[in-house]
Amino acid sequence: MKILTTLKKVVDVELTINVKDGAIVEDGLQYVMNAWDENAIEASVQLKENNKAETTLVTVGSGDHAELIRKAYAMGIEKGIHVDDPAISGADSFTYARVLQAVFEKGGFDLVIVGKQAQDTDNGQTGIILAEYLGLPCVSNVVSITVVDDKTLTVSRLGDTGTEILTVSLPAVITVSDSINEPRLPQMRGIMMAKKKPIETQKLSDLGLSADDMAHPKSTVTEFMATESRKSGKKFEGNAAEITAQVVSLLATEAGVL
């Protein structure tokens, strides 16, 4: 079984992100591996260890992705591909899915494992769109994967009313929840070996695509807005009757709920 796993380089949302004139201020931003993609990588590596699957990672976008790919190597991924082309700048979920479709078709994979969503956009669309483009079955929000045979998986997913168990025929696309596993911390030996492994870089032309294929995204970000800072709370002092009177008064005059 050949597995393709996706990785997105995202802004570290744990740090302060500043917005000016409707755009994110780039100075001082730090980028990390998307958290849900770490779960996808761990799921792929476990399938490699337990079922002798072949694992390939692909990341799409301009700029340096080597550090993140080498982290995936240290976790156990065998091969890394970076699709790096200036024309990809400004891509949306549909455009990313189009690139991933070309990677999948060129590599002859049996299974795609994608993080359920990206922590910078929270869209959760790319994997599902990819399955539609490929005409393959897709199961989202998966929390466990069991290999039945070379052509069949049993997966559990978190549904609206409980956990759903499904049988999936390969090839297929799966998007995984962060509940599926606890991503491993790379060991020193793996980190040292990862430094020596090659990273395959591809352009759109290598995939049979062109800048025109990227030129018409179906969605665009028009503006970023900073969230309102949380107002400080009020501390009430006195006995129960006094506090109650103060709270009622504020609910009536400030909150307007009474």
Side-chain angles (χ1 to χ4, degrees):
M1 179 167 56
K2 294 181 64 176
I3 302 174
L4 179 66
T5 310
T6 62
L7 164 64
K8 186 178 182 183
K9 179 181 177 180
V10 297
V11 173
D12 188 349
V13 295
E14 297 296 326
L15 303 180
T16 300
I17 299 175
N18 297 311
V19 176
K20 183 179 180 181
D21 299 328
I24 292 177
V25 178
E26 295 288 336
D27 292 345
L29 287 181
Q30 295 185 30
Y31 292 85
V32 296
M33 179 185 292
N34 177 47
W36 280 271
D37 293 343
E38 288 194 62
N39 296 107
I41 290 168
E42 177 63 29
S44 299
V45 172
Q46 289 184 15
L47 289 172
K48 181 194 76 172
E49 294 171 340
N50 299 327
N51 300 277
K52 299 181 179 179
E54 298 177 32
T55 55
T56 299
L57 180 87
V58 59
T59 182
V60 179
S62 58
D64 185 12
H65 287 60
E67 182 179 349
L68 300 184
I69 294 174
R70 296 199 186 283
K71 179 180 178 181
Y73 282 165
M75 292 174 68
I77 291 292
E78 298 164 292
K79 179 182 178 181
I81 300 171
H82 179 198
V83 182
D84 183 4
D85 197 297
I88 300 173
S89 177
D92 65 352
S93 297
F94 292 90
T95 310
Y96 279 123
R98 181 70 186 90
V99 176
L100 295 175
Q101 176 189 6
V103 174
F104 179 91
E105 292 173 344
K106 182 179 179 181
F109 296 95
D110 303 298
L111 176 65
V112 185
I113 302 181
V114 183
K116 183 181 74 170
Q117 63 198 75
Q119 66 193 57
D120 55 351
T121 63
D122 284 334
N123 276 342
Q125 299 181 67
T126 302
I128 297 169
I129 295 170
L130 172 61
E132 182 68 18
Y133 282 169
L134 292 170
L136 297 179
C138 178
V139 184
S140 61
N141 210 16
V142 169
V143 294
S144 73
I145 304 170
T146 301
V147 176
V148 177
D149 53 43
D150 291 343
K151 294 295 182 181
T152 312
L153 303 177
T154 298
V155 301
S156 300
R157 69 176 301 274
L158 297 179
D160 293 334
T161 58
T163 301
E164 302 169 356
I165 301 174
L166 302 95
T167 299
V168 185
S169 298
L170 299 179
V173 178
I174 287 175
T175 80
V176 298
S177 164
D178 55 358
S179 299
I180 192 171
N181 53 45
E182 185 69 32
R184 68 191 66 192
L185 295 174
Q187 300 300 310
M188 183 56 66
R189 182 173 181 272
I191 293 172
M192 298 306 295
M193 293 178 63
K195 293 180 179 180
K196 302 176 182 179
K197 297 188 69 171
I199 296 172
E200 181 179 339
T201 302
Q202 296 183 357
K203 299 293 184 183
L204 290 176
S205 57
D206 298 321
L207 299 169
L209 300 173
S210 68
D212 289 341
D213 295 310
M214 307 291 108
H216 305 288
K218 295 181 182 296
S219 61
T220 57
V221 176
T222 58
E223 182 182 5
F224 288 94
M225 293 182 292
T227 57
E228 293 184 6
S229 58
R230 185 175 180 179
K231 296 180 180 180
S232 59
K234 293 183 180 290
K235 183 178 180 180
F236 300 97
E237 296 181 351
N239 58 42
E242 293 171 336
I243 292 174
T244 300
Q246 293 177 63
V247 171
V248 171
S249 175
L250 288 174
L251 288 174
T253 58
E254 291 190 12
V257 297
L258 295 178

